């Protein structure tokens, strides 16, 4: 194929998912620079999520910017509800609003227990917890440590140089 022996072509990482007789391939590597309309669309989606959570009285809402750091989403939102009923209602109302503006389906994970629900809005992922469960898992702290790790490593290298 025109390449010297022993030289492999570098493909972007992919996820494969089987559906019947088909295997779907999705590229997980994001383009280095997003288009401006896509970035604006994701910001508008984030604004919709924050407005919905505010309307339903979510507490301690935290936004984690994941753009250019991971390929799973551009934003992660973490919020709390006072009870399992409120947590479930927050997720249901948010999913309805997201479905109204998106072309793809919105899924909710964790509805059977109601302690921690994940609403997958595509480029905005929303975790809704009861306060005790949120404190136990410390999701914001974990992501802050993961996102700060490369910066801390580069500072150590710069300090040692």
């Amino acid at each position: 194929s025109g390449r010297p022996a022993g030289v492999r072509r570098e493909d972007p990482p992919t996820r494969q998912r089987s559906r019947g007789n088909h295997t779907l391939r999705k590229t997980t590597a994001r383009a280095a620079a997003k288009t401006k309309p896509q970035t604006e669309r994701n910001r508008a989606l984030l604004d919709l999520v924050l407005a919905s959570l505010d309307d339903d009285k979510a507490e301690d809402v935290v936004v984690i910017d994941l753009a250019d750091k991971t390929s799973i989403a551009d934003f992660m939102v973490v919020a709390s509800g006072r009870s399992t009923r409120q947590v479930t209602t927050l997720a249901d109302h948010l999913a309805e609003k997201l479905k109204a503006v998106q072309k793809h389906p919105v899924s909710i994970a964790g509805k059977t227990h109601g302690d921690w629900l994940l609403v997958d809005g595509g480029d905005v992922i929303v975790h809704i917890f009861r306060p005790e469960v949120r404190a136990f898992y410390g999701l914001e702290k974990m992501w802050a440590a993961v996102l700060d790790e490369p910066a801390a490593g580069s500072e150590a290298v710069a300090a040692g140089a």
Side-chain angles (χ1 to χ4, degrees), residues 40-50 98 101-102 104 121-124:
E40 290 173 2
R41 191 169 40 247
N42 293 344
R43 285 273 176 201
L45 193 62
L46 176 64
D47 291 342
L48 174 81
V49 166
L50 295 176
L98 288 171
V101 299
Q102 290 186 332
H104 59 83
D123 282 320
V124 179

Side-chain angles (χ1 to χ4, degrees), residues 5 37 49 57 77 84-85 88 129:
V49 166
K57 309 288 190 258
V77 179
T84 55
R85 177 174 276 174
T88 304
F129 293 93

Side-chain angles (χ1 to χ4, degrees), residues 8 13 27 29 35 56 58 74 76 79 85 88 98 100 125 128 140 159:
R8 293 187 350 221
T27 302
T35 63
D56 290 333
D74 283 348
M76 180 183 300
R85 177 174 276 174
T88 304
L98 288 171
I125 297 174
I128 306 171
E140 303 100 316

Side-chain angles (χ1 to χ4, degrees), residues 11-23:
D11 288 330
T14 58
R15 282 187 282 179
Q16 292 189 352
R17 181 173 59 167
S18 294
R19 181 181 286 168
N21 295 331
H22 304 85
T23 299

Side-chain angles (χ1 to χ4, degrees), residues 61-73:
V61 178
V62 175
V63 175
I64 301 170
D65 187 353
L66 301 175
D68 302 325
K69 295 174 182 85
T70 180
S71 63
I72 63 170

